[in-house]
Amino acid sequence: RQSWASDSSDSVISSGSDSDGSLYKVILLGEHGVGKTSLARIFGGVEDCADAEEAGNTYDRSIIVDGEEASLVVFDIWEQDDSQWLQNHCMKMGDAYIIVYSVTDKVSFEKASELRIQLRRARQTEDIPIILVGNKSDLVRSREVSVDEGRACAVVFDCKFIETSAALHHNVKDLFEGIVRQIRLRKDSKED
Ligand code: GDP
């Protein structure tokens, strides 16, 4: 299976702003250990660096989605410190959110629902793109959350759903392309 990092030369243009000048801020939310940093680093094309476990980074990159360039800044800062201020700020600043749980950890799945509720409260009147992500789909034997449970949760919380494996690079590209499509859908409907 090809990794996104190795086949990225044609899909990465530059870091910078979108063709219409916008740079979309995407925030990763989720419990410790679910794979936020792993997903962010695959997006950033830097997953092989030595400090792979270190949280608290942002990844700025342009990708081509449906023939059009989009610039994303992915924030992996949710767990940077325990400050309420930072977490409140995260809930306010994003143009889109990726809420991650691990399919091997039921508690992280329950936490994902709490985060969705928190987000709804912080951004009541806004229709912000959210993707619920069940990561670690490669760990078949230790699975605690089924695909159906994940999908049902996304229906209840009115967001998109995808299962990924950062370890196998499975669906990671689709995840970030999906975020761009969700952002565009809302932007287009506003412009109409
Ligand atoms: P974070 O705390 O949410 O940022 O999680 P990390 O990205 O630091 O990942 C926590 C641990 O889970 C690390 O040891 C990762 O290598 C591992 N991990 C992350 N994603 C996957 C995955 O898709 N499959 C497997 N098997 N392990 C993963």
Side-chain angles (χ1 to χ4, degrees):
R1 184 175 279 128
Q2 252 195 336
S3 77
W4 196 15
S6 64
D7 70 3
S8 62
S9 51
D10 57 347
S11 60
V12 181
I13 303 289
S14 59
S15 35
S17 56
D18 204 356
S19 43
D20 67 356
S22 40
L23 190 69
Y24 302 122
K25 296 189 282 292
V26 179
I27 320 285
L28 284 155
L29 305 177
E31 277 278 81
H32 180 68
V34 296
K36 298 181 298 300
T37 303
S38 306
L39 292 167
R41 294 182 75 93
I42 292 171
F43 171 77
V46 294
E47 80 267 33
D48 296 326
C49 297
D51 58 345
E53 298 289 314
E54 189 190 306
N57 281 305
T58 64
Y59 302 86
D60 175 345
R61 184 171 162 185
S62 293
I63 58 175
I64 300 283
V65 182
D66 304 325
E68 242 182 281
E69 187 181 359
S71 298
L72 299 183
V73 193
V74 171
F75 290 83
D76 176 31
I77 58 172
W78 180 244
E79 292 186 280
Q80 199 166 14
D81 57 43
D82 286 331
S83 87
Q84 201 55 51
W85 181 88
L86 181 71
Q87 298 207 335
N88 286 338
H89 188 59
C90 281
M91 290 294 183
K92 298 259 162 67
M93 71 184 276
D95 297 309
Y97 290 84
I98 296 175
I99 303 181
V100 188
Y101 66 91
S102 164
V103 302
T104 66
D105 179 1
K106 194 95 191 186
V107 174
S108 73
F109 181 59
E110 285 154 10
K111 182 69 187 179
S113 300
E114 280 173 37
L115 288 167
R116 175 69 184 95
I117 292 165
Q118 227 178 305
L119 194 53
R120 180 174 285 163
R121 208 173 285 142
R123 308 286 288 270
Q124 274 169 11
T125 57
E126 295 165 81
D127 177 25
I128 20 168
I130 299 170
I131 300 189
L132 178 68
V133 178
N135 187 43
K136 306 199 188 183
S137 62
D138 57 292
L139 297 177
V140 176
R141 280 190 291 183
S142 38
R143 184 185 274 272
E144 291 183 359
V145 183
S146 71
V147 183
D148 285 344
E149 283 174 286
R151 208 176 279 136
C153 182
V155 170
V156 170
F157 287 111
D158 189 25
C159 57
K160 290 282 169 188
F161 173 69
I162 192 169
E163 280 202 353
T164 58
S165 166
L168 300 179
H169 285 215
H170 182 245
N171 272 352
V172 178
K173 190 170 187 254
D174 294 54
L175 166 62
F176 288 100
E177 290 181 354
I179 271 288
V180 170
R181 291 196 181 100
Q182 289 303 307
I183 292 169
R184 284 184 183 159
L185 272 174
R186 284 163 177 78
K187 212 175 66 166
D188 292 347
S189 63
K190 259 186 215 154
E191 280 165 7
D192 287 345

